[in-house]
């Protein structure tokens, strides 16, 4: 472990990688402040840039910096104008915006910056401690266990769905699995479902699909829904960034609790920073005293610190299943997983052994990134906030240009542009119909890995006997079945209980 940390230090603190951390944090902070443009969209746009770098360590450091930079910066628009730039900062606006209206915008931004810094730093420490342990356990895994892990990841897809949208999330996951079958399969080296199009022989391009699912619909959304981008500017000068000792004492235990809870939620496949932020806010409100509970929603420093610490720690925690097991812990890490595959890096238990410079450099860069983000956000927030006044006439062409160029550079053929536009229009329609798009992308990414490991297991054991012969595989499949059945069972019990109360009345 010590050798790995030293290797990571030497890699992360090279001049090139330090510049990449700074660049990634800057890009992520700016994009995160734009309402509607989250880390998934900007990472999808940045993937061609990262691939062109060549060095996997440098590329992943850049993308990771963009990721937590976007979550870090997303709190700014939530606090100043009540327009969350990232889904995971929606809970930040519950108390951040009331503080702004009360003339405490500077104090709110300071609390958010400190909570984000502490959450990200504690998450990085926990990642350094627990990731090697998870990786050593994962060395016991074979293709059968990896197949079962993919099933577990797919069964937790309901976490990406809103209330009453589990059916839609499952439908989108199945669509992603179907799209993953296009092209040559693992069992037979023959094209499948290509409709005679030679460019589809290798399947749909991940970059094209990611652009079509997230980046292109954002531009179309801005065109079709003009009111979406009309926001009020922050009035007055942002000053008084200091917090009192009493406020520091009040938020310190909140930050500690939610950093740990957020990290653990981020580790779960299918969970993410959005879920962590809402749970963090709910937990702190429930355990607060009655007097403090009355402040929540009206400008509570605890209500602001909790989601900010939780979502940044969850961003770091999501790298545990990504790097050690090859399973995305959130929609954004699903895109990062695709970027790793495009860079010919195989995330999993062997990553620490075969390519320690990648594994440890990413973790070490998170420490550096959090320091850079704190330095950027505290003194520069009054100036950075002005980016929110960028007119749509400049924003839309910018998004469209990088989307089209990214898809073309990724596969280097014009067919990808047609596929991009077609999928982008379909994705926009699905968004208007309130269908979540993250499950589709995760189903697409996990689909090929699920098929590959299932095929190897079938070849090795001559059939489905591998499920019975390997207890760990059976256990993981039971967990997957529980994740599917238990939510439905609880919902049914709740409905029956409500009917019983109504009949009693």
């Amino acid at each position: 472990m010590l050798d790995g940390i030293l290797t990571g230090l030497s890699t992360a603190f090279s001049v090139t990688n330090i510049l990449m951390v700074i660049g990634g944090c800057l890009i992520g902070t700016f994009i995160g402040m734009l309402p509607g443009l989250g880390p998934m969209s900007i990472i999808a746009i940045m993937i061609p840039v990262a691939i062109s770098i060549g060095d996997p360590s440098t590329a992943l450091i850049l993308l990771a910096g963009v990721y937590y930079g976007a979550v870090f910066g997303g709190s700014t628009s939530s606090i100043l104008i009540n327009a969350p730039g990232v889904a995971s900062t929606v809970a930040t606006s519950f108390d951040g915006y009331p503080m702004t209206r009360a003339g405490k915008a500077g104090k709110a931004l300071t609390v958010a910056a400190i909570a984000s810094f502490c959450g990200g730093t504690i998450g990085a420490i926990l990642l350094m401690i627990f990731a090697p342990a998870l990786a050593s356990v994962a060395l016991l895994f074979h293709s059968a266990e990896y197949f079962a892990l993919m099933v577990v990841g797919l069964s937790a897809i309901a976490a990406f769905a809103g209330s009453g949208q589990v059916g839609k999330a499952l439908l989108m996951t199945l669509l992603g699995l179907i799209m993953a079958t296009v092209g040559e399969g693992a069992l037979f080296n023959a094209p499948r479902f290509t409709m005679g199009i030679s460019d589809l022989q290798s399947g749909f391009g991940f970059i094209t699909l990611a652009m079509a699912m997230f980046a292109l619909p954002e531009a179309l959304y801005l065109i079709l829904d003009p009111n979406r981008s009309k926001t009020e500017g922050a009035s007055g000068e942002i000053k008084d960034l200091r917090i009192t000792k009493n406020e520091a004492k009040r938020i310190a235990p909140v930050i500690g609790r939610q950093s740990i809870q957020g990290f653990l939620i981020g580790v779960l496949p299918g969970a993410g920073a959005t879920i962590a932020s809402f749970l963090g806010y709910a937990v702190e409100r429930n355990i607060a005293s009655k007097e403090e509970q009355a402040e929540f929603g009206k400008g509570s420093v605890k209500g602001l610190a909790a989601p900010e610490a939780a979502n940044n720690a969850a961003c770091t925690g999501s790298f545990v299943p990504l790097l050690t097991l090859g399973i995305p812990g959130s929609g954004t890490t699903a895109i990062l997983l695709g970027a790793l595959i495009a860079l010919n890096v195989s995330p999993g238990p062997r990553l620490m052994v075969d390519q320690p410079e990648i594994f440890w450099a990413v973790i070490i860069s998170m420490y550096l990134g959090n320091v850079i983000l704190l330095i950027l956000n505290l003194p520069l927030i009054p100036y950075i906030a002005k980016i929110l006044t960028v007119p749509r006439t400049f924003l839309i062409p910018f998004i469209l240009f990088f989307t089209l160029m990214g898809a073309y550079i990724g596969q280097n053929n014009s067919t990808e542009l047609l596929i991009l536009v077609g999928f982008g229009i379909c994705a926009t329609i699905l968004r208007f119909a309130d269908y979540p798009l993250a499950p589709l992308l995760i189903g697409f990414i996990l689909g090929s890995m699920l098929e590959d490991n299932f095929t190897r297991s079938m070849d090795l054991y001559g059939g489905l006997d591998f499920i019975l012969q390997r207890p760990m595989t059976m256990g993981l499949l039971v967990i997957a079945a529980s994740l599917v059945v238990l939510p439905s069972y609880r919902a049914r019990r709740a409905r029956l209980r409500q009917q019983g109360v109504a009949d009693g009345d």
Side-chain angles (χ1 to χ4, degrees):
M1 181 175 174
L2 182 60
D3 292 339
I5 293 174
L6 293 175
T7 302
L9 283 170
S10 62
T11 304
F13 279 88
S14 67
V15 176
T16 301
N17 287 340
I18 289 176
L19 292 175
M20 288 298 166
V21 173
I22 296 173
C25 290
L26 278 170
I27 294 170
T29 300
F30 277 89
I31 297 300
M33 288 189 297
L34 293 172
L37 280 177
M40 284 190 286
S41 301
I42 186 58
I43 288 177
I45 294 173
M46 291 294 295
I47 284 176
V49 178
I51 292 175
S52 65
I53 293 173
D55 183 6
S57 300
T58 304
L60 190 57
I61 285 173
L62 172 64
L63 295 177
V66 172
Y67 180 22
Y68 47 78
V71 176
F72 199 110
S75 61
T76 303
S77 57
S78 297
I79 292 170
L80 295 181
I81 59 175
N82 200 27
V86 186
S88 59
T89 61
V90 172
T92 302
S93 64
F94 294 166
D95 283 284
Y97 187 60
M99 289 182 70
T100 297
R101 295 184 63 182
K104 300 178 180 178
K107 189 183 294 291
L109 291 168
T110 301
V111 172
I114 292 173
S116 298
F117 170 76
C118 294
T121 302
I122 293 173
I125 294 171
L126 293 173
L127 176 62
M128 184 176 65
I129 295 172
F130 289 108
L134 284 173
S136 63
V137 172
L139 286 173
L140 302 174
F141 282 38
H142 297 284
S143 56
E145 284 75 25
Y146 271 114
F147 161 73
L149 271 176
M150 301 304 153
V151 177
V152 171
L154 291 173
S155 65
I157 210 72
F160 291 93
S163 177
Q165 287 190 318
V166 177
K168 289 183 177 180
L170 291 175
L171 184 62
M172 296 299 286
T173 305
L174 290 175
L175 182 58
L177 290 171
I178 291 171
M179 294 175 67
T181 63
V182 175
E184 294 182 355
L187 188 59
F188 302 105
N189 292 325
R192 306 173 299 179
F193 314 118
T194 60
M195 297 170 289
I197 302 174
S198 59
D199 290 329
L200 290 180
Q201 188 164 344
S202 58
F204 293 115
F206 166 77
I207 295 175
T208 302
L209 187 61
M211 297 280 194
M213 290 297 107
F214 299 107
L216 190 59
E218 294 295 344
L220 297 178
Y221 240 58
L222 290 173
I223 297 171
L224 298 173
D225 189 7
N227 294 326
R228 187 168 180 257
S229 61
K230 292 179 180 178
T231 54
E232 297 179 359
S235 58
E237 184 181 355
I238 300 175
K239 54 184 179 180
D240 189 20
L241 301 177
R242 293 174 295 178
I243 59 176
T244 64
K245 290 183 178 180
N246 181 46
E247 289 168 335
K249 290 180 180 179
R250 291 175 63 193
I251 65 174
V254 173
I255 292 173
R257 283 192 298 266
Q258 294 312 314
S259 295
I260 297 173
Q261 178 180 296
F263 176 82
L264 296 176
I265 293 173
V267 169
L268 299 175
T274 303
I275 298 171
S277 63
F278 280 111
L279 283 179
Y281 187 88
V283 167
E284 292 302 327
R285 187 184 185 280
N286 290 335
I287 66 175
S289 62
K290 290 185 178 180
E291 293 79 11
E292 290 178 329
Q293 282 185 1
E295 296 179 8
F296 276 70
K298 300 178 182 178
S300 168
V301 289
K302 283 189 172 183
L304 175 58
E308 279 298 292
N311 62 25
N312 279 271
C315 289
T316 307
S318 63
F319 279 83
V320 172
L322 174 67
L323 296 177
T324 62
L325 300 176
I327 298 177
S330 65
T332 307
T333 51
I335 297 180
L336 289 173
L337 176 59
L340 283 172
I341 295 172
L343 289 163
N344 295 320
V345 176
S346 299
R350 297 293 305 175
L351 183 62
M352 284 183 60
V353 179
D354 297 337
Q355 295 173 300
E357 70 281 358
I358 296 177
F359 182 87
W360 290 106
V362 172
I363 296 176
I364 298 300
S365 71
M366 290 180 181
Y367 291 99
L368 180 61
N370 278 289
V371 173
I372 291 171
L373 286 169
L374 188 66
I375 295 172
L376 288 175
N377 277 262
L378 283 179
L380 298 181
I381 278 174
Y383 309 100
I384 294 176
K386 293 182 180 180
I387 196 173
L388 299 173
T389 61
V390 172
R392 286 185 300 119
T393 51
F394 295 105
L395 183 62
I396 294 172
F398 175 82
I399 297 173
L400 290 175
F401 172 77
F402 280 98
T403 300
L404 294 172
M405 288 301 295
Y408 182 78
I409 294 172
Q411 298 292 326
N412 201 27
N413 68 71
S414 57
T415 305
E416 293 299 314
L417 298 178
L418 299 176
I419 296 173
L420 170 70
V421 173
F423 281 157
I425 294 173
C426 292
T428 305
I429 295 172
L430 289 171
R431 286 189 59 172
F432 274 112
D434 204 22
Y435 279 83
L437 297 177
L440 186 150
L441 191 63
I442 291 182
F444 175 76
I445 292 175
L446 294 182
S448 59
M449 293 186 288
L450 184 144
E451 183 185 6
D452 290 347
N453 287 290
F454 179 74
T455 303
R456 293 192 196 102
S457 301
M458 290 280 287
D459 289 342
L460 185 62
Y461 290 89
L464 294 174
D465 293 343
F466 70 89
I467 297 177
L468 300 175
Q469 294 182 25
R470 301 191 66 84
M472 194 180 296
T473 302
M474 175 65 76
L476 289 170
L477 291 177
V478 169
I479 292 174
S482 301
L483 291 173
V484 174
V485 173
L486 284 178
S488 301
Y489 175 70
R490 289 175 180 171
R492 186 171 181 273
R493 284 190 61 184
R495 286 196 302 268
L496 292 174
R497 194 178 296 113
Q498 291 176 355
Q499 290 176 1
V501 173
D503 292 341
D505 294 340

